[in-house]
Amino acid sequence: MKNIGHKIVFLSFFVLILVQANAQRFPKPEFESGYEQPSPTTPEPRSNALEYLDVLILFASLSLASWLVIKRRSRRGVLWLSIFTLLYFGFYREGCICSVGSIQNITLALFDPVYKISITVLIFFLLPLVFALFFGRTFCAGACPLGAIQDILVFRPVSIPVWVRKALGFIPYLYLGLAVLYAATGTDFIICRYDPFVGFFRMDGPYTMIIIGIALLLLGLFFARPYCRVFCPYGVLLNWMSRFSKYHMTITPAECISCKLCEPSCPFDAIEIPVSEKVRTQKVLRQNLKRFSLYALLIPVWMFIGGYAVSSSHVLLSKAHQDVYLSELLIAHPELKSDTKNLDIKAFLESGKTFDELVANASLIRAKFKSGGWFLGGFLGLVIGIMIMNQFVFRTKTIYEPHKGDCFSCGRCMDYCPVVKLK
Amino acid sequence: MNQETKLKLLKQIILISAAFCILVAFLLIVNFWQMKKSNPLESQTIEALVQRLAVDDNNEELRKEIRSFDLLARKAYFTSAWQVKTGAYLLFFGGVVLALALKIRTDIQRKIEPPETITDDPMMNKFVSHRWLLVTGGLVFTLALLSAFLSNDYLKSYDPGQFVDTETSSQTETIEVIPIVESVATEKGDSAILSNAVEPVPQAVAETGGAPDTPKTVVKLAKAEDFKKNQSTFRGFLGQGISFHKNIPTNWDGSSGTNVKWKISLSKPGYNTPVIWGDKLFIAGADKTSRVVSCYNRHTGKLLWEKEADNIPGSPATPPKTTDDTGLAAPTMTVDGNCVYALFGTGDLIAFDLDGNRIWAKNLGVPANHYGHSSSLITWNGKIVVQYDTAKGGRMIAINTANGDFIWDIPRANKVSWSSPTLLESKGKMLIITSADPNVIANDLETGAEVWKSPVMSGEVAPSPGVFNNIIFVSNEYAKTVALDAENGGKVIWETDEYLSEVASPVAINGLLFLATSYGVLVCYDAMTGENVWEKEFSSGFYSSPMIAENKVYIIDMSGVMHIIKADRTGTIVKEPELGEAAFALPVFADGKIYLRGKSSLYCIGE
């Protein structure tokens, strides 16, 4: 559609980053002259003042995005803001601190009394949600570097069938649930580990991370913002908040004339089209009520099945924990116990812990996964149950308006509205 | 310039810049691949040269050669790196030009699109969506349940004392012999090793369930003569493939029962060859559910005992995956008159006394082996030798026969292999000869110390070394057959790639080397020169190895036909009796009888 040029520039730029990221570091030379290489040092933490500056910039970005979308109705302004966000929170701050990943910090702080988080992390987690509660997902529009990097590369988006979107829409809940489970058990921060774009921001990263990032960006040329729509766990929370937003952006500033011009404008299929009253016949209503009631009653069943299934898979899920992994490795391969080439084993041996302690802790972690699996599975069962039930809820619509939960408030549709253009 | 001319010009710029970007991108990929290939850290040539240098440390020419190769590799690496970097910038600027041209062209051509007519039925959309949501939810939870069934909970199989034991034993993993076994052989002269290597000490075997911390265990060690009389290991005495028994039958028919003394069905599958001590014959079998050692009266075929190898600390709850042609009971056991020792594909090593009492057991670590572990055990002078080459690293291990403790456990650089160790007395030492990728190595049996190594082998090595007059013969498919001088640091005497063995091990006698291939050729070489003396092609290939008895080569092909050929330069075929079923194990000879393991039965042949 529009703005094709800069997308190609960015694609080329990412190829450049890919090459740089995979440039092999040559091993350090061994000097015969007696020269000793300086030992690596740990960098100082970022100063509080700069952390508060990040918060300030986030607040300013969210405010500006909300103003640009709701008051100024400027797509161009949102675009420039997202480029700024990409440069600041993305390339300058290297993707960290990040509201998306902050879910894990909050979770771990809740479950691990030893783990503390700074006020800035808490603000980064809450601020976009608060803005979403009032103004919709303006965070996605102009303050999220992960969204920005994909948004500027939307080239020729295609509309995805509703059933595909609905089915894929379950994945963010799954990802969110797993992220919380892994953070709560102190296993891993999987959102950060599998962040596909942080490799670009840092111009370095594992080969697979860069490849997945490139693949998502290429996919994003046609399936707009794939990470945001299919994976983003923070998007789940923003979606919930945004549904209640009072001042959400509208396609038209005045009365919608149902001209249909905005229909193809949303690359994210987030525009709800008018639904005629004609489809709501008595027969259809009766059938829907019947199905709605049936699926409502089945929600506890879904929750139980989900809880049982996920809890049963605790053995597999817990293998990601370092202690569980190491314990199983050594039980299955006791010959590796003194393999100092294996860094995990070396680190363990140097920790001074005994194998019994290691295995005892691993068993404890596994037990946590078993109980946590019930909660995660129950949550997923609830989500799938409600999603299915909702398929039998119909609301009559007479105008074109964005879906408050799914809309990223990017403002593209506003440019298509002739009411604005006639002004 | 009018609009039409502008559009034409822009189109040309777009085409040229796009072609430029594609070309640069292609060159970048080629260059990147080349850079990976010429990484000096992964140069196989340099690695091979460095290994040669390790053998020949004073070779200055070789040093120079390594340095020049190293410099070349580094130059190639840095040149490629510079090219990739420059190419990336070129691509970036090509992309900028392309993007600008596309942007301007799109702006010029932009027009208002007519509204699309959406014909989707919202009711139908929701109905279809609900079905797919049912599928999605069902799929996710089914996968979760499936993972529960497919996951191994190793933590449940943890024995709290397991690591304490291994921690203790790790301290003994040195190349020094720990004198747990009272052996009187160490002070003997060179010639004493084979003639009377291990003298008997009149004490009983350690009691059943002998704990690893037993302070001192005295065992009766067998004489070399006893090992000659019995088939104590894979390929007989010292693993060299030569039997000393006489009156070996040459005529039988397994189908009709001609000259079949007895035939029994085996309870579990396995590819190991039976071993014999006295009147007892031992054989191992395993499947996914259990692993067993069986003992038969070799004269009557009566089952005397069958014991499971279970409850072994460190043994995996689920056996590792193996291919059907290897299984979990491929390694041949070894027996020394006191105990029979069995190793399974799970890494479980277990000792039973000859009456079936369990003496000790331990797990050596589940072998990472994509076919399954198959290297057989061999015992000598109170030690069980284990060649444990896995995908995670190679080890040579000597285990105390009395209590299962490690005497020495030496890591080695060889890749995963399937061959078995052969013993050879050389310069007053009993050497363990092993063949694997890339090295043929000779270790001192007593200390485990590496005496020499020769980087001549490659690929997935399964054939074990053959021996004749201090010449070692190794072979492997897609590699070569090599004769090495055991008394001269493993120096290559001759080599050929004419016929290569995939599984069967070479055997040598009377100055002749016999080699069998998996495609049915049995070839005889002059052991000293490598000259092809004769070759014979048969309709079925060989996985079983040739054995020599009474100056005849006995080799059974995969269809069960035994080819009995004179072990001389004529290569006269004596007989070709049939077993009547597929066979992969080696023939075992004892007192005028042959014991043959078919795919599912065990036969005793006697005329």
Side-chain angles (χ1 to χ4, degrees), chain B residues 520-542:
Chain B
V521 171
L522 178 68
V523 61
C524 171
Y525 289 113
D526 185 304
M528 309 307 287
T529 63
E531 175 205 349
N532 184 328
V533 179
W534 52 256
E535 60 190 57
K536 296 184 187 302
E537 187 162 359
F538 302 104
S539 56
S540 185
F542 300 103

Side-chain angles (χ1 to χ4, degrees), chain A residues 5 24 26 263 284 356 366, chain B residues 74 77 99 116 123 153 158:
Chain A
Q24 305 231 345
F26 206 75
E263 261 184 17
V284 168
D356 281 352
R366 186 152 277 174
Chain B
R74 283 165 195 269
Y77 176 85
E116 291 173 11
M123 302 286 279
D153 191 349
Y158 175 69

Side-chain angles (χ1 to χ4, degrees), chain A residues 1-5 8-9 12-13 15-16 19-20 22 24 26-27 162-163 166-167 170 207 259-261 263-264 273 279 284 288 291 295 302 305-306 308-309 312-313 315-316 319 327-328 330-335 337 355-356 359 362-363 366 380-381 384 387-388 390-394, chain B residues 32 36 39-41 74 77-78 84-85 88-89 91-92 95-96 98-100 102-103 106 110 113 115-118 122-123 125-130 132-134 136-138 140-141 144-145 147-148 151-155 157-158 160 162-163 166-167 170 173 314 363-366 392 395:
Chain A
M1 300 226 266
K2 292 189 288 181
N3 302 320
I4 300 164
I8 305 295
V9 177
S12 308
F13 185 59
V15 172
L16 179 69
V19 172
Q20 294 291 345
N22 286 283
Q24 305 231 345
F26 206 75
V162 179
W163 65 269
K166 293 288 179 191
F170 180 63
Y207 190 74
C259 64
K260 296 185 178 179
L261 285 175
E263 261 184 17
I273 59 169
V279 298
V284 168
N288 280 350
R291 284 178 178 148
Y295 285 115
W302 274 108
I305 293 171
Y308 178 74
S312 302
S313 66
V315 174
L316 178 72
K319 284 177 191 284
S327 298
E328 294 204 323
L330 288 169
I331 291 168
H333 299 281
E335 77 277 9
K337 68 190 182 301
F355 288 110
D356 281 352
V359 178
S363 301
R366 186 152 277 174
L380 294 176
I384 201 87
M387 285 174 92
I388 293 169
N390 274 342
Q391 301 313 305
F392 299 101
V393 176
F394 286 92
Chain B
F32 191 68
K36 282 267 183 195
N39 184 350
L41 292 177
R74 283 165 195 269
Y77 176 85
F78 284 113
V84 168
K85 199 175 173 184
Y89 282 114
L91 184 61
F92 177 68
V96 170
L98 177 63
L100 285 174
L102 276 169
K103 164 86 177 153
T106 313
R110 184 180 295 168
E113 294 167 18
E116 291 173 11
T117 308
I118 293 174
M123 302 286 279
N125 276 342
K126 289 214 165 195
F127 186 73
V128 174
S129 299
H130 115 273
W132 281 99
L133 281 168
L134 280 170
T136 308
V140 168
F141 294 148
L145 281 172
S147 78
S151 303
N152 289 333
D153 191 349
Y154 287 100
L155 297 182
S157 64
Y158 175 69
Q162 177 182 347
F163 285 124
T166 51
E167 273 177 319
S170 72
E173 285 177 7
N363 187 277
L364 299 177
V366 181
K392 294 189 174 172
R395 291 159 72 193

Side-chain angles (χ1 to χ4, degrees), chain B residues 373-388:
Chain B
H373 185 77
S374 72
S375 182
S376 299
L377 302 174
I378 193 163
T379 181
W380 191 262
N381 200 17
K383 298 175 191 69
I384 305 160
V385 177
V386 190
Q387 181 180 348
Y388 217 56

Side-chain angles (χ1 to χ4, degrees), chain B residues 194-478:
Chain B
L194 280 181
S195 60
N196 200 12
V198 276
E199 287 183 351
V201 180
Q203 296 289 334
V205 181
E207 288 300 311
T208 304
D213 56 352
T214 305
K216 196 173 183 182
T217 311
V218 182
V219 297
K220 177 184 176 182
L221 299 179
K223 288 181 178 180
E225 279 308 312
D226 296 327
F227 283 106
K228 278 186 179 177
K229 265 192 267 175
N230 295 286
Q231 173 100 1
S232 72
T233 189
F234 179 62
R235 303 178 72 216
F237 182 63
L238 302 179
Q240 294 185 357
I242 294 168
S243 171
F244 299 92
H245 286 272
K246 308 285 182 192
N247 305 317
I248 305 301
T250 56
N251 184 36
W252 65 84
D253 186 345
S255 303
S256 65
T258 307
N259 284 338
V260 175
K261 292 286 179 193
W262 52 259
K263 173 187 173 184
I264 51 167
S265 292
L266 296 168
S267 61
K268 298 270 180 190
Y271 289 93
N272 60 85
T273 296
V275 290
I276 286 175
W277 198 274
D279 297 330
K280 291 176 178 172
L281 178 147
F282 306 91
I283 199 160
D287 56 22
K288 284 180 183 174
T289 56
S290 62
R291 296 163 285 284
V292 297
V293 173
S294 311
C295 173
Y296 294 91
N297 180 318
R298 72 178 179 85
H299 302 294
T300 62
K302 185 188 171 192
L303 179 67
L304 300 177
W305 53 264
E306 184 168 276
K307 293 292 170 77
E308 277 197 29
D310 55 2
N311 299 321
I312 299 171
S315 180
T318 307
K321 282 182 185 169
T322 58
T323 52
D324 289 341
D325 59 2
T326 305
L328 291 162
T332 295
M333 297 185 290
T334 188
V335 55
D336 63 0
N338 295 322
C339 289
V340 59
Y341 311 93
L343 175 66
F344 294 95
T346 50
D348 292 337
L349 179 64
I350 192 163
F352 294 100
D353 69 15
L354 302 193
D355 295 325
N357 298 310
R358 179 165 162 164
I359 304 300
W360 53 260
K362 69 194 309 172
N363 187 277
L364 299 177
V366 181
N369 190 315
H370 48 283
Y371 300 132
H373 185 77
S374 72
S375 182
S376 299
L377 302 174
I378 193 163
T379 181
W380 191 262
N381 200 17
K383 298 175 191 69
I384 305 160
V385 177
V386 190
Q387 181 180 348
Y388 217 56
D389 294 328
T390 74
K392 294 189 174 172
R395 291 159 72 193
M396 278 303 295
I397 305 168
I399 305 272
N400 189 324
T401 53
N403 53 23
D405 282 357
F406 287 101
I407 294 175
W408 45 259
D409 180 357
I410 296 171
R412 58 198 216 144
N414 279 2
K415 295 178 183 167
V416 59
S417 74
W418 293 264
S419 60
S420 304
T422 301
L423 297 181
L424 166 72
E425 187 205 356
S426 175
K427 293 183 178 174
K429 283 181 178 174
M430 185 58 86
L431 299 182
I432 308 159
I433 313 292
T434 53
S435 177
D437 180 5
N439 295 310
V440 176
I441 301 179
N443 294 88
D444 183 350
L445 174 74
E446 292 305 320
T447 64
E450 191 175 287
V451 179
W452 53 259
K453 70 177 174 188
S454 186
V456 296
M457 207 30 68
S458 62
E460 296 185 332
V461 182
S464 309
V467 169
F468 175 72
N469 278 1
N470 278 310
I471 302 175
I472 311 290
F473 304 97
V474 288
S475 180
N476 191 35
E477 202 165 54
Y478 307 115

